[in-house]
Amino acid sequence: MHNLPQTVIQESRVEQQTIDTFAREANRIVGSDQVSANPADLLANSRDYWPVNNIWMIEGRVPALPQLVVWPGNTEEISALLKLATKLKVPVTPYGEGSGTLGGAIPIKGGVSLDLKRMNHLLEIDEESLMVRVESGLNGALYEELLNHAGYTGGHFPQSLRCSSIGGWLACRAAGQFSTRYGKIEDIAVSLEAVLPDGTIFSGRSVPRTATGPRLDHLLIGSEGIFGVITSATLRIWPLPEKRHLISYTFADLKGALECIRLIMRTGARPAVVRLYDAQETGNHFPELGDQRCALILLIEGTAKIIAAEAEVIDDLAIASGAVDCGPEHVEHWLEKRFNISVASMLFQKGAVLDTIEVSTNWHNAHSTYLAMQKSLLAVEGTMLASGHYSHVYPDGAGLYMTVVGFPGSDKLAFYKRIWQAAMEACLAQGAAISHHHGIGLHRGQWMHEEHGSGLSVLKKIKKALDPENIMNPGKLGLEEGKLWQK
Ligand SMILES: Cc1cc2nc3c(=O)[nH]c(=O)nc-3n(C[C@H](O)[C@H](O)[C@H](O)COP(=O)(O)OP(=O)(O)OC[C@H]3O[C@@H](n4cnc5c(N)ncnc54)[C@H](O)[C@@H]3O)c2cc1C
């Protein structure tokens, strides 16, 4: 291990003898070229996009290392690997593309990082029923490209599209930028195939809905790898839209703009993109609009006649709310820049700490949660900026996405913990849910009890029943008291 950097939150590791036994058997199951203890491979799968990784990486440390990386090629191989892991009590952490922002893919108890990248095939398109069957390791941008070639869209565009996988989307209950029209991943998913820790392979029926008891396959949506491995999914698709219509407005204040969006959602209009920025983010993203008003950008797409009606309904409500029409060019600018994720790592290199914290609100607390979270974040010593936007809207509320940047000096980790504590306390006090789409992973687990109350013990019982040896991504989703991380 002398070639590898020091780990910070490695809670435990599996005895080397057991790992050697696992590796021998895994070689037989997947082929020896698909099993690696090479330091470069262990390092690659030691981290995700959780910002704390950046703090440690700049210091030359990593959060935790797997002892093996295994790349299975199909569902049967995963079944054999999980059976083996249960028998030998070896932790298994599924790894999609490592774009999770809360440490979910970090193997804090060592063992095996099960990397899904080889399972990257689009299996079949059902053009009649508008569904596609796809393996879980397929990259998001490649998936959309393959669909576009066939004349369809998957309707799911997280900002991390180019660095995330289908399995990661499902495991984290992801939401894309076009979610108001196409739905979030749980709306897009028809059925899943998954493997449980005892090796059982199961799948749901790919029909529009069922009333045959609870949808067991959907239990895996949002499970973040703690119940098993999602191996493939049937997802809804849409014909490529006939037309796209772009509109932007500015409003005098956030509250008035939110009220306008609430009214739009009551009409039945479903623009694909609805993004409302506070004045600060308006100034940052659209400097030409200044930093005194709040920008709302909208993208409507689909059939031309329906779009025309939606645009008219939206425009009537916006103008009646005192909005100023700013034309399509700001939406075009957003479309060009929407997958650019380079700013965060540049800021870390300059000594900043940055994170984004997304929460879920109803209309009655959409604005007050923003105000409360902003106030709490700005009260933390070292915070330079706490701004927000709303990027997923519903008839019953909106997702609020706060960005916080600070220059805390030497103790970056203490600052990081303080901003999260401040944000989560403010969010919970307003009655909002602690995550809209990034999930829980390792870091947000400490607030799971406040979020779920007695529901957390139900989750623990399900986990115990499905995974009695606790091999699947142990230590995540707040099911175990955090040890090294929360100290
Ligand atoms: C810049 C940036 C922008 C982002 N924008 C968005 C956004 O707009 N919307 C959004 O929802 N999220 C966003 N995210 C968060 C992240 O991209 C998503 O959570 C994504 O769904 C994770 O996919 P992944 O393949 O990278 O998963 P990973 O990070 O590899 O894994 C995430 C978790 O899922 C588990 N997992 C992965 N694959 C499987 C599988 N096949 N079976 C079981 N468990 C599995 C892992 O064990 C881990 O716990 C963003 C992240 C970044 C860095």
Side-chain angles (χ1 to χ4, degrees):
M1 292 294 287
H2 57 276
N3 291 334
L4 288 162
Q6 190 200 340
T7 59
V8 195
I9 50 167
Q10 186 90 62
E11 286 184 6
S12 55
R13 289 174 66 77
V14 180
E15 268 182 24
Q16 193 52 44
Q17 207 183 347
T18 309
I19 286 293
D20 292 342
T21 309
F22 187 97
R24 267 196 307 278
E25 286 295 304
N27 285 344
R28 201 181 45 75
I29 296 167
V30 296
S32 57
D33 53 343
Q34 305 303 339
V35 180
S36 174
N38 184 317
D41 294 323
L42 303 184
L43 258 181
N45 286 27
S46 68
R47 48 165 290 158
D48 60 7
Y49 267 74
W50 183 30
V52 171
N53 292 320
N54 291 336
I55 299 174
W56 289 327
M57 198 168 68
I58 288 166
E59 294 166 356
R61 302 188 291 167
V62 293
L65 287 158
Q67 291 161 276
L68 279 183
V69 179
V70 179
W71 294 271
N74 59 49
T75 304
E76 287 67 32
E77 288 178 3
I78 294 179
S79 168
L81 288 166
L82 294 197
K83 231 185 261 178
L84 178 65
T86 294
K87 188 172 115 197
L88 298 177
K89 301 185 179 38
V90 172
V92 174
T93 305
Y95 200 91
E97 300 225 353
S99 73
T101 56
L102 292 136
I106 300 173
I108 54 172
K109 302 198 190 206
V112 174
S113 177
L114 194 80
D115 194 316
L116 280 304
K117 284 191 193 68
R118 280 177 67 219
M119 295 187 52
N120 60 359
H121 301 98
L122 193 151
L123 301 169
E124 62 176 318
I125 298 182
D126 177 344
E127 302 197 54
E128 193 178 16
S129 294
L130 288 176
M131 298 187 301
V132 59
R133 202 156 62 82
V134 62
E135 287 183 321
S136 64
L138 181 60
N139 169 275
L142 287 176
Y143 168 63
E144 181 62 18
E145 216 173 284
L146 290 168
L147 286 179
N148 290 173
H149 275 298
Y152 298 96
T153 176
H156 187 72
F157 305 93
Q159 196 198 9
S160 55
L161 183 75
R162 293 168 179 159
C163 57
S164 58
S165 68
I166 308 266
W169 297 348
L170 289 159
C172 296
R173 277 181 85 83
Q177 294 160 338
F178 285 46
S179 71
T180 301
R181 172 173 165 78
Y182 297 104
K184 281 65 54 192
I185 199 67
E186 71 274 17
D187 307 311
I188 294 171
V190 181
S191 68
L192 268 59
E193 180 194 75
V195 181
L196 297 179
D198 66 358
T200 304
I201 300 169
F202 81 111
S203 56
R205 296 284 299 271
S206 296
V207 289
R209 95 179 280 274
T210 54
T212 54
R215 279 299 299 229
L216 293 174
D217 54 338
H218 285 208
L219 188 63
L220 273 285
I221 301 179
S223 64
E224 301 192 24
I226 66 159
F227 292 151
V229 179
I230 300 163
T231 47
S232 68
T234 299
L235 305 177
R236 296 190 166 87
I237 56 172
W238 290 261
L240 282 171
E242 189 179 302
K243 195 167 179 233
R244 202 172 244 192
H245 182 76
L246 314 179
I247 332 167
S248 69
Y249 300 101
T250 61
F251 289 78
D253 59 49
L254 209 51
K255 202 169 177 190
L258 282 168
E259 179 58 8
C260 177
I261 296 172
R262 187 182 75 83
L263 295 175
I264 291 171
M265 292 308 288
R266 284 168 82 95
T267 65
R270 288 293 174 270
V273 177
V274 183
R275 297 176 75 88
L276 171 66
Y277 299 87
D278 71 3
Q280 181 140 26
E281 292 198 6
T282 299
N284 291 345
H285 293 291
F286 314 101
E288 64 284 5
L289 293 176
D291 61 2
Q292 299 300 309
R293 292 176 65 84
C294 301
L296 170 63
I297 64 167
L298 296 137
L299 182 155
I300 316 173
E301 64 179 23
T303 308
K305 281 184 185 165
I306 298 176
I307 288 176
E310 285 188 307
E312 195 180 328
V313 165
I314 290 168
D315 200 54
D316 286 351
L317 284 168
I319 299 306
S321 308
V324 175
D325 185 340
C326 297
E329 58 269 24
H330 309 293
V331 195
E332 279 158 15
H333 168 80
W334 173 78
L335 278 168
E336 266 168 41
K337 302 276 179 205
R338 67 191 171 121
F339 299 125
N340 185 346
I341 58 172
S342 58
V343 179
S345 46
M346 267 157 41
L347 279 169
F348 271 97
Q349 283 162 30
K350 291 184 190 307
V353 171
L354 175 149
D355 210 352
T356 57
I357 304 175
E358 29 59 64
V359 301
S360 192
T361 69
N362 296 111
W363 287 118
H364 73 86
N365 60 1
H367 188 238
S368 63
T369 305
Y370 163 81
L371 291 178
M373 287 180 72
Q374 186 180 50
K375 187 173 170 201
S376 305
L377 288 166
L378 288 171
V380 176
E381 197 182 335
T383 301
M384 297 282 290
L385 173 150
S387 61
H389 66 258
Y390 301 82
S391 43
H392 306 273
V393 304
Y394 311 80
D396 46 345
L400 165 63
Y401 191 97
M402 299 298 296
T403 296
V404 54
V405 183
F407 283 88
S410 56
D411 202 346
K412 296 191 173 68
L413 218 47
F415 172 74
Y416 184 83
K417 290 183 178 184
R418 279 200 292 272
I419 54 173
W420 267 89
Q421 190 63 38
M424 289 292 93
E425 273 173 17
C427 159
L428 286 160
Q430 291 297 318
I434 62 171
S435 176
H436 178 270
H437 57 268
H438 282 171
I440 300 300
L442 174 66
H443 175 54
R444 221 184 315 225
Q446 52 199 302
W447 294 281
M448 277 289 270
H449 183 67
E450 280 146 296
E451 174 70 20
H452 286 284
S454 55
L456 188 58
S457 63
V458 178
L459 198 59
K460 286 181 183 174
K461 283 179 196 158
I462 300 173
K463 166 75 170 167
K464 184 85 187 155
L466 293 180
D467 185 13
E469 300 298 346
N470 192 24
I471 60 150
M472 288 306 309
N473 206 1
K476 307 296 169 54
L477 267 182
L479 297 193
E480 294 170 28
E481 284 300 306
K483 295 183 182 102
L484 288 172
W485 165 238
Q486 275 159 250
K487 244 202 271 178

